[in-house]
Amino acid sequence: MTSTLERPVKAPAFQGVSLRRKLTNHLATVLVTSSLLVALVPLVWVLYSVIVRGWAALSSPTWFTNSQAGMTTFSAGGGAYHAIVGTLLQGLVCSLISIPIGVMVGVYLVEYGGGTRLGKVTTFMVDILTGVPSIVAALFIYALWVATLGFGRSGFAVSLALVLLMIPVIVRATEEMLRIVPMDLREASYALGVPKWKTIVRIVIPTAPGVL
């Protein structure tokens, strides 16, 4: 009588399926890797061209002190001075507008308008602004500020477009930081008779890490 250990083991019925899956996996790996390499070729080529052609300009100190004023497409010279100054000024103007609005909206959503209709609408609008591409924000400001209201194209208009991109980031960051503050601090302040607005300004915001 043959024991169960000596009985021949039958090949699994799904052996062919497993082989097909392995082949499919290898084929998909080859295709994805090839697609990645094809996508990296223009990126590496552009980076190489920028480094090779721009190294001479970057090594010159005049690149950071000269601007593109009066320069044309086919004339050599100029520098990045205007771009550096413009970036700093537009970033400063954008921060002066976005930071107060974003912090106040975040404080309202956490401390006051959690379940209200206005709070829900505000949260929905912040979610929409979070996914807005930069080109859409720029086109909106151009259509409203330049085409409709008649103001000229300027660095301030660019700052307004950056405001649309910066406010939702500040609102989300403020919300997350305020939620980290324990509720016991708020309740202790209320128990001492401190008004809510003073509690938020003097206790909650200074305690919240990263808001400022």
Side-chain angles (χ1 to χ4, degrees):
M1 184 175 180
T2 307
S3 61
T4 55
L5 297 177
E6 297 177 354
R7 293 178 181 176
V9 180
K10 295 182 179 180
F14 53 88
Q15 185 175 4
V17 178
S18 177
L19 179 60
R20 186 166 60 251
R21 289 180 178 177
K22 289 182 180 180
L23 294 177
T24 305
N25 181 48
H26 290 311
L27 179 61
T29 303
V30 171
L31 292 177
V32 171
T33 305
S34 303
S35 302
L36 177 62
L37 294 177
V38 170
L40 286 177
V41 167
L43 179 62
V44 174
W45 180 257
V46 169
L47 184 61
Y48 172 78
S49 301
V50 170
I51 294 176
V52 171
R53 298 183 180 182
W55 179 253
L58 292 177
S59 61
S60 175
T62 58
W63 170 256
F64 300 96
T65 57
N66 294 343
S67 68
Q68 295 283 30
M71 303 300 299
T72 61
T73 305
F74 300 99
S75 60
Y81 175 77
H82 69 292
I84 297 174
V85 175
T87 300
L88 294 177
L89 291 178
Q90 293 168 7
L92 177 62
V93 174
C94 175
S95 300
L96 292 177
I97 299 175
S98 302
I99 292 176
I101 296 176
V103 171
M104 288 189 291
V105 172
V107 170
Y108 170 77
L109 292 177
V110 174
E111 303 293 339
Y112 293 97
T116 61
R117 179 177 299 179
L118 180 59
K120 294 179 180 178
V121 173
T122 304
T123 303
F124 177 72
M125 296 304 297
V126 171
D127 292 337
I128 292 178
L129 288 177
T130 303
V132 171
S134 58
I135 184 64
V136 175
L139 290 175
F140 173 76
I141 293 300
Y142 181 83
L144 177 64
W145 187 259
V146 179
T148 303
L149 299 180
F151 295 98
R153 292 178 291 181
S154 61
F156 183 75
V158 177
S159 299
L160 293 179
L162 294 176
V163 166
L164 298 179
L165 304 176
M166 191 172 181
I167 284 181
V169 177
I170 299 177
V171 172
R172 287 291 176 243
T174 304
E175 284 186 278
E176 297 301 326
M177 293 300 104
L178 292 179
R179 291 193 176 98
I180 296 177
V181 179
M183 187 61 64
D184 297 339
L185 292 178
R186 298 178 176 88
E187 295 176 352
S189 179
Y190 299 152
L192 294 175
V194 180
K196 187 171 184 177
W197 69 271
K198 285 187 177 180
T199 300
I200 296 172
V201 174
R202 297 184 179 181
I203 297 177
V204 176
I205 294 181
T207 307
V211 171
L212 297 181

